[in-house]
Amino acid sequence: MEKYILELKQIVKTFGSVKALNGVRFQLKPGEIHCLMGENGAGKSTFIKIITGVLQPDSGTMLLNGKPVSFNNSIESTKAGIAAIYQHPATFPSLSVTENIFMSQEILTKIKTYNYPKMRRIAKELLTSLNSKINVNADMSSLSVAEQQLVEIAKALSRNAKILILDEPTASLTKFECEQLYKILDNLKKKGVSMIFITHRFEDMYRMADRVTVFRDATYIGTWNMKGLNEKKLIKAMVGRELTTLYPKRKVKIGKEVLKVKNISKTGLFKNVSFNVHAGEVLALTGLVGSGRTEVCQTIFGINHFDSGKMYLNGKEVFTKNPKHALKLGIGLLPEDRQLTGLLLDLPIYQNVSAMNLDRFSKFTLLSKNKEIKTSEDLCDSLRLKASSVMAPPSSLSGGNQQKIVIAKLLTRELKVLILDEPTKGVDILAKYSIYEIINELAKQGYAIIMISSEMSEVLGVSDRIVVMHSGRVTKTMLTKKATQEKIMEASIKR
């Protein structure tokens, strides 16, 4: 057996004057899970496109089982046993699970019609081997992201894939779904499948990786065995400098109570939830999936309406009729899924920034484009957004910069309360640090901030107080300085 099932040497890829990859290398062992890490823009996506044949390198060598290969398209790489599973699976939503698994490799009867009974049987066997009970007759659109990823893995296995490339597979998954995926990948590894795991999450790396390779600024930085790997060293490799802490220090004087919810309930979602947040304070709302965190905040923002209880803003009782009314009162929400509900991906940045407050940029019902652009430039500068100009669409930017646009949208309004739902989801480590600095600055300016987060280290590193929820109820409220991961977890599973 060859020492490496896949090896790439001195890969170069340019787009005009921009070097997307500058002589990078990579080695994958048989039956290995190898993490590929780096900031957005480090070259990871381009690298994967070269392995799968979507792009061809300008120079360099790729070896598969020790033999030189070159793929002209993804069909050729699939036939060679390479498959990619993406964060947002590229499926056919109106077709069944079976039809998606066998797309372009349908099994035919003797009279050249589709042999659906046989395909359904094999699809069920594949999913059962992944410990999944997904209905093979269900439409893909009815499945969760985690279930769609499992179908994509089953599809890869149906093509006898020996190498799986997983591109941010956990970014849209709950903690429970992540654990399920980890177990599936562990089993595939035992069966000899080799995997390249691209992630921004250190939790993924520590849980899954045998080795980790880092790219930075389109170049290869290094490869390390996970055993005994120093996190400080890894962070320095990724960002090019030392970060003494992932969480910037904050000294903010906490002011008067701004928002208070008292015994608010919504049938089937949450019951008797009470907490408050002050000016300059970061209040973390955490708990396991299904705990009701997002539902509570959506209700505060007027997306839902509570059935009972009361809500006060600066001491005055209020009831948010809808999101527009919430914004008028001074409550803003950064949604969990920035691409689905936070941005107009193909419109310019300046139109995204102004979209939440068009009245501010209008005179006699006519929009002032110059005012939109100037305000957007000022906000983007203050948030240190990296873009060629505010004329660029958000779709061309990294996840961290997209998140900054959503924050800029909120800052066009005169708000008192900012609700940030998973503000660092799917962004790289340096973008996380930048968003934490922004949160600190907003708190310094006097905003009352509610931050929903599933990452306990983030909860402990960023907040002043912590509210833990379980099954729609608050189980514990504590000062962050007196909290530990163990105390948070204990409260998260308390019944």
Side-chain angles (χ1 to χ4, degrees):
M1 183 180 289
E2 293 291 333
K3 185 178 179 182
Y4 301 115
I5 188 172
L6 179 70
E7 187 172 8
L8 294 99
K9 302 178 179 180
Q10 297 301 314
I11 300 295
V12 173
K13 181 64 182 178
T14 58
F15 297 99
S17 60
V18 177
K19 275 201 172 180
L21 293 172
N22 188 13
V24 301
R25 61 185 187 270
F26 186 86
Q27 298 164 329
L28 181 67
K29 296 178 181 179
E32 174 187 43
I33 298 180
H34 193 141
C35 267
L36 179 58
M37 302 186 78
E39 293 183 73
N40 289 321
K44 304 185 300 294
S45 295
T46 303
F47 186 69
I48 296 311
K49 287 176 182 177
I50 284 173
I51 294 174
T52 55
V54 176
L55 295 172
Q56 285 70 49
D58 300 333
S59 61
T61 305
M62 181 160 65
L63 304 174
L64 188 64
N65 293 314
K67 298 178 181 178
V69 291
S70 178
F71 302 130
N72 295 310
N73 50 57
S74 58
I75 295 173
E76 291 182 6
S77 67
T78 300
K79 287 180 179 178
I82 299 172
I85 315 297
Y86 296 98
Q87 176 186 344
H88 300 288
T91 63
F92 296 88
S94 61
L95 298 182
S96 70
V97 168
T98 298
E99 289 167 324
N100 271 270
I101 289 175
F102 286 95
M103 180 59 63
S104 77
Q105 60 161 6
E106 294 82 1
I107 298 173
L108 303 179
T109 64
K110 290 180 180 179
I111 59 173
K112 304 301 180 184
T113 59
Y114 291 161
N115 191 337
Y116 277 108
K118 187 172 183 179
M119 287 193 290
R120 291 190 191 102
R121 176 175 57 79
I122 295 173
K124 188 173 182 179
E125 289 172 357
L126 286 166
L127 288 166
T128 299
S129 74
L130 297 172
N131 296 318
S132 172
K133 296 180 180 179
I134 294 171
N135 184 348
V136 297
N137 297 313
D139 286 350
M140 285 294 286
S141 60
S142 68
L143 305 185
S144 68
V145 172
E147 289 171 328
Q148 289 182 40
Q149 286 181 346
L150 283 184
V151 173
E152 288 290 281
I153 292 173
K155 181 179 178 179
L157 296 180
S158 75
R159 289 161 165 76
N160 297 312
K162 299 299 180 187
I163 297 172
L164 280 184
I165 301 168
L166 300 118
D167 190 2
E168 293 285 353
T170 62
S172 299
L173 304 189
T174 65
K175 193 171 184 67
F176 176 77
E177 288 170 336
C178 286
E179 283 300 326
Q180 294 300 104
L181 180 63
Y182 294 154
K183 290 175 184 177
I184 288 164
L185 299 184
D186 274 336
N187 286 333
L188 291 175
K189 176 184 172 180
K190 290 173 184 175
K191 293 176 182 178
V193 177
S194 302
M195 285 165 268
I196 302 172
F197 198 119
I198 300 171
T199 184
H200 290 310
R201 289 163 45 108
F202 278 57
E203 184 179 351
D204 292 339
M205 180 191 69
Y206 286 123
R207 175 66 175 79
M208 298 304 302
D210 298 298
R211 292 189 298 159
V212 59
T213 287
V214 172
F215 287 177
R216 186 178 75 239
D217 297 332
T219 61
Y220 170 86
I221 301 300
T223 299
W224 298 269
N225 290 316
M226 281 304 303
K227 189 176 180 181
L229 179 63
N230 182 291
E231 184 175 297
K232 202 172 186 180
K233 179 180 179 181
L234 186 62
I235 292 172
K236 184 177 180 181
M238 291 169 65
V239 304
R241 60 185 173 87
E242 281 195 23
L243 291 180
T244 54
T245 173
L246 287 178
Y247 306 102
K249 299 295 182 184
R250 179 167 61 92
K251 290 185 179 180
V252 176
K253 185 177 180 181
I254 295 175
K256 295 181 179 179
E257 178 184 271
V258 178
L259 178 73
K260 179 179 181 179
V261 293
K262 187 175 181 181
N263 295 324
I264 62 171
S265 299
K266 176 69 176 178
T267 303
L269 296 178
F270 53 85
K271 188 172 182 179
N272 293 332
V273 171
S274 298
F275 60 80
N276 62 2
V277 59
H278 301 76
E281 181 181 32
V282 179
L283 179 75
L285 198 56
T286 192
L288 301 178
V289 63
S291 62
R293 307 164 305 171
T294 293
E295 290 78 7
V296 166
C297 288
Q298 287 179 341
T299 300
I300 292 171
F301 189 58
I303 295 173
N304 303 315
H305 295 148
F306 51 83
D307 302 323
S308 60
K310 293 184 178 181
M311 184 165 75
Y312 301 88
L313 192 63
N314 288 329
K316 181 180 178 182
E317 186 175 352
V318 295
F319 182 87
T320 46
K321 302 172 187 175
N322 50 51
K324 186 177 180 180
H325 183 225
L327 288 167
K328 190 173 181 180
L329 289 172
I331 302 171
L333 171 69
L334 183 148
E336 180 179 6
D337 192 328
R338 58 181 170 267
Q339 294 195 351
L340 185 63
T341 55
L343 295 166
L344 301 165
L345 287 168
D346 295 323
L347 291 183
I349 291 169
Y350 79 87
Q351 288 186 337
N352 274 271
V353 171
S354 65
M356 195 174 277
N357 194 11
L358 292 177
D359 288 346
R360 174 178 172 179
F361 304 98
S362 303
K363 190 173 183 179
F364 305 120
T365 72
L366 294 176
L367 273 173
S368 170
K369 183 177 177 180
N370 289 338
K371 192 173 182 181
E372 286 181 287
I373 291 173
K374 179 65 168 64
T375 301
S376 299
E377 287 175 340
D378 290 345
L379 283 170
C380 290
D381 284 345
S382 68
L383 296 174
R384 299 181 294 281
L385 183 136
K386 293 180 181 178
S388 56
S389 78
V390 295
M391 308 303 289
S395 58
S396 67
L397 305 181
S398 68
N401 284 304
Q402 288 182 359
Q403 200 73 306
K404 290 179 183 180
I405 296 171
V406 186
I407 295 171
K409 281 174 62 176
L410 292 172
L411 298 184
T412 65
R413 307 285 308 214
E414 292 183 8
L415 302 178
K416 305 176 185 73
V417 179
L418 290 177
I419 303 169
L420 309 177
D421 195 348
E422 301 286 1
T424 64
K425 179 179 177 181
V427 305
D428 63 57
I429 194 164
L430 199 56
K432 279 189 175 187
Y433 189 86
S434 181
I435 289 171
Y436 298 147
E437 287 184 316
I438 291 168
I439 291 173
N440 287 354
E441 181 58 32
L442 293 172
K444 189 176 179 181
Q445 292 174 25
Y447 288 96
I449 299 170
I450 301 172
M451 180 187 72
I452 301 173
S453 177
S454 302
E455 294 188 31
M456 284 194 282
S457 58
E458 182 172 85
V459 167
L460 291 166
V462 177
S463 70
D464 298 294
R465 280 189 304 135
I466 302 166
V467 173
V468 186
M469 292 187 65
H470 173 77
S471 297
R473 294 174 181 267
V474 172
T475 55
K476 196 171 187 65
T477 299
M478 58 188 123
L479 291 172
T480 303
K481 62 185 178 182
K482 294 184 178 181
T484 63
Q485 290 200 14
E486 290 75 18
K487 287 180 181 179
I488 294 171
M489 183 53 68
E490 183 182 351
S492 296
I493 60 177
K494 187 175 181 180
R495 295 185 181 279

Coordinates of all heavy atoms in Angstrom, one line a residue, residues 27-64:
Q27 N -0.7 16.0 1.9 CA -0.6 14.6 1.9 C -1.7 13.9 2.8 O -1.9 14.3 3.9 CB 0.8 14.1 2.4 CG 1.9 14.7 1.6 CD 3.3 14.6 2.3 OE1 3.3 14.6 3.5 NE2 4.3 14.4 1.6
L28 N -2.4 13.0 2.2 CA -3.5 12.3 2.9 C -3.2 10.8 3.0 O -2.9 10.1 1.9 CB -4.8 12.5 2.1 CG -6.1 11.8 2.7 CD1 -6.4 12.5 4.1 CD2 -7.2 12.0 1.8
K29 N -3.2 10.3 4.2 CA -2.8 8.8 4.4 C -4.1 8.0 4.2 O -5.2 8.5 4.5 CB -2.2 8.6 5.8 CG -0.9 9.3 6.0 CD -0.4 9.1 7.4 CE 0.9 9.8 7.6 NZ 1.4 9.6 9.0
P30 N -4.0 6.7 3.9 CA -5.1 5.8 3.9 C -5.8 5.7 5.3 O -5.1 5.6 6.3 CB -4.5 4.5 3.5 CG -3.3 4.8 2.8 CD -2.8 6.0 3.5
G31 N -7.1 5.9 5.3 CA -7.9 5.8 6.6 C -7.6 6.9 7.6 O -7.8 6.7 8.8
E32 N -7.2 8.0 7.0 CA -6.9 9.2 7.9 C -7.9 10.3 7.8 O -8.5 10.5 6.7 CB -5.5 9.8 7.5 CG -5.1 11.1 8.2 CD -3.9 11.7 7.6 OE1 -3.8 11.8 6.4 OE2 -3.1 12.2 8.4
I33 N -8.2 10.9 8.9 CA -9.0 12.2 8.9 C -8.0 13.3 9.1 O -7.4 13.5 10.1 CB -10.1 12.2 10.0 CG1 -11.1 11.1 9.8 CG2 -10.8 13.5 10.0 CD1 -12.2 11.0 10.8
H34 N -7.9 14.1 8.0 CA -6.9 15.2 8.0 C -7.6 16.5 7.9 O -8.3 16.8 6.9 CB -6.0 15.0 6.8 CG -4.7 15.8 6.8 ND1 -3.5 15.3 6.3 CD2 -4.5 17.1 7.1 CE1 -2.6 16.3 6.4 NE2 -3.2 17.4 6.9
C35 N -7.5 17.4 8.9 CA -8.1 18.7 8.9 C -7.3 19.7 8.1 O -6.1 19.7 8.2 CB -8.3 19.2 10.4 SG -9.9 18.8 11.1
L36 N -8.0 20.5 7.3 CA -7.4 21.6 6.6 C -8.0 22.9 7.2 O -9.2 23.1 7.1 CB -7.7 21.5 5.1 CG -7.2 22.6 4.2 CD1 -5.7 22.7 4.3 CD2 -7.6 22.3 2.7
M37 N -7.1 23.7 7.7 CA -7.6 24.9 8.4 C -6.9 26.2 7.8 O -5.8 26.1 7.2 CB -7.4 24.8 9.9 CG -8.1 23.6 10.5 SD -8.0 23.6 12.3 CE -9.2 24.8 12.8
G38 N -7.6 27.3 8.1 CA -7.0 28.6 7.6 C -8.1 29.6 7.6 O -9.3 29.2 7.5
E39 N -7.8 30.9 7.5 CA -8.8 31.9 7.4 C -9.5 31.8 6.1 O -9.0 31.2 5.1 CB -8.1 33.3 7.5 CG -7.5 33.6 8.9 CD -6.9 35.0 8.9 OE1 -7.7 35.9 8.9 OE2 -5.7 35.2 8.8
N40 N -10.7 32.5 6.0 CA -11.3 32.6 4.7 C -10.4 33.4 3.8 O -9.8 34.4 4.2 CB -12.6 33.4 4.9 CG -13.7 32.6 5.6 OD1 -13.8 31.4 5.4 ND2 -14.5 33.3 6.4
G41 N -10.2 32.9 2.6 CA -9.3 33.5 1.6 C -7.9 32.9 1.6 O -7.0 33.3 0.9
A42 N -7.7 31.8 2.5 CA -6.4 31.2 2.6 C -6.1 30.3 1.4 O -5.0 29.9 1.2 CB -6.3 30.4 3.9
G43 N -7.2 29.9 0.6 CA -7.0 29.1 -0.5 C -7.6 27.7 -0.4 O -7.5 26.9 -1.3
K44 N -8.3 27.4 0.7 CA -8.9 26.1 0.9 C -9.9 25.7 -0.2 O -9.8 24.6 -0.7 CB -9.5 26.0 2.3 CG -8.6 26.4 3.4 CD -9.3 26.2 4.8 CE -10.6 27.0 5.0 NZ -10.3 28.4 5.0
S45 N -10.8 26.6 -0.5 CA -11.9 26.3 -1.5 C -11.2 26.0 -2.9 O -11.7 25.1 -3.6 CB -12.9 27.4 -1.6 OG -13.6 27.5 -0.3
T46 N -10.3 26.8 -3.3 CA -9.6 26.6 -4.6 C -8.9 25.3 -4.6 O -8.9 24.6 -5.6 CB -8.6 27.8 -4.8 OG1 -9.3 29.0 -4.8 CG2 -7.9 27.6 -6.2
F47 N -8.3 25.0 -3.5 CA -7.5 23.7 -3.4 C -8.5 22.5 -3.6 O -8.2 21.6 -4.3 CB -6.9 23.7 -2.0 CG -6.0 22.5 -1.8 CD1 -4.8 22.4 -2.5 CD2 -6.3 21.5 -0.9 CE1 -4.0 21.3 -2.3 CE2 -5.5 20.4 -0.6 CZ -4.3 20.3 -1.3
I48 N -9.6 22.6 -2.9 CA -10.6 21.5 -3.0 C -11.2 21.4 -4.5 O -11.4 20.3 -5.0 CB -11.8 21.7 -2.0 CG1 -11.2 21.6 -0.6 CG2 -12.9 20.7 -2.3 CD1 -10.3 20.4 -0.3
K49 N -11.3 22.5 -5.1 CA -11.8 22.5 -6.5 C -10.8 21.9 -7.4 O -11.2 21.3 -8.4 CB -12.2 23.9 -6.9 CG -13.5 24.5 -6.3 CD -13.7 25.9 -6.7 CE -15.0 26.5 -6.0 NZ -15.2 27.9 -6.3
I50 N -9.6 22.0 -7.1 CA -8.5 21.4 -7.9 C -8.5 19.9 -7.7 O -8.5 19.1 -8.7 CB -7.2 22.0 -7.6 CG1 -7.1 23.3 -8.3 CG2 -6.0 21.1 -8.1 CD1 -5.8 24.1 -8.0
I51 N -8.7 19.4 -6.5 CA -8.7 18.0 -6.2 C -9.9 17.3 -6.9 O -9.8 16.2 -7.4 CB -8.8 17.7 -4.7 CG1 -7.5 18.2 -4.0 CG2 -9.1 16.2 -4.4 CD1 -7.5 18.1 -2.5
T52 N -11.1 18.0 -6.9 CA -12.3 17.5 -7.5 C -12.4 17.7 -9.0 O -13.4 17.3 -9.6 CB -13.5 18.0 -6.8 OG1 -13.5 19.4 -6.8 CG2 -13.6 17.5 -5.3
G53 N -11.5 18.4 -9.6 CA -11.5 18.6 -11.1 C -12.4 19.8 -11.5 O -12.5 20.0 -12.7
V54 N -12.9 20.6 -10.6 CA -13.7 21.8 -11.0 C -12.7 22.8 -11.6 O -13.1 23.5 -12.5 CB -14.4 22.3 -9.7 CG1 -15.1 23.6 -10.1 CG2 -15.4 21.3 -9.2
L55 N -11.5 22.9 -11.0 CA -10.5 23.8 -11.6 C -9.2 22.9 -11.9 O -9.0 21.9 -11.2 CB -10.1 24.9 -10.5 CG -11.2 25.9 -10.2 CD1 -10.7 26.8 -9.0 CD2 -11.6 26.8 -11.4
Q56 N -8.4 23.4 -12.8 CA -7.2 22.8 -13.1 C -6.0 23.7 -12.6 O -6.1 24.9 -12.8 CB -7.0 22.5 -14.6 CG -7.9 21.3 -15.0 CD -9.4 21.6 -15.0 OE1 -9.8 22.7 -15.6 NE2 -10.2 20.8 -14.5
P57 N -5.0 23.1 -12.0 CA -3.8 24.0 -11.6 C -3.0 24.5 -12.7 O -3.0 23.9 -13.8 CB -3.0 23.0 -10.7 CG -3.3 21.6 -11.3 CD -4.7 21.7 -11.7
D58 N -2.4 25.6 -12.5 CA -1.4 26.2 -13.5 C -0.2 25.3 -13.5 O 0.4 25.2 -14.6 CB -1.1 27.6 -13.2 CG -2.3 28.5 -13.1 OD1 -3.3 28.2 -13.8 OD2 -2.3 29.5 -12.4
S59 N 0.2 24.8 -12.4 CA 1.4 24.0 -12.3 C 1.3 23.2 -11.0 O 0.5 23.4 -10.1 CB 2.7 24.8 -12.3 OG 2.7 25.7 -11.2
G60 N 2.2 22.1 -10.9 CA 2.2 21.3 -9.8 C 1.7 19.9 -10.1 O 1.3 19.6 -11.3
T61 N 1.8 19.0 -9.2 CA 1.5 17.5 -9.4 C 0.5 17.0 -8.4 O 0.6 17.3 -7.2 CB 2.8 16.7 -9.3 OG1 3.8 17.3 -10.2 CG2 2.6 15.3 -9.7
M62 N -0.4 16.2 -8.9 CA -1.3 15.5 -8.0 C -1.2 14.0 -8.2 O -1.2 13.5 -9.3 CB -2.8 15.9 -8.2 CG -3.8 15.2 -7.3 SD -5.4 16.0 -7.1 CE -6.0 15.9 -8.8
L63 N -1.0 13.2 -7.1 CA -0.8 11.8 -7.2 C -1.9 11.1 -6.4 O -2.3 11.5 -5.3 CB 0.5 11.4 -6.5 CG 1.8 12.1 -7.0 CD1 3.0 11.7 -6.1 CD2 2.1 11.7 -8.5
L64 N -2.5 10.1 -7.0 CA -3.5 9.3 -6.4 C -3.0 7.8 -6.4 O -2.7 7.2 -7.4 CB -4.8 9.3 -7.3 CG -6.1 8.7 -6.6 CD1 -6.5 9.4 -5.4 CD2 -7.2 8.7 -7.6

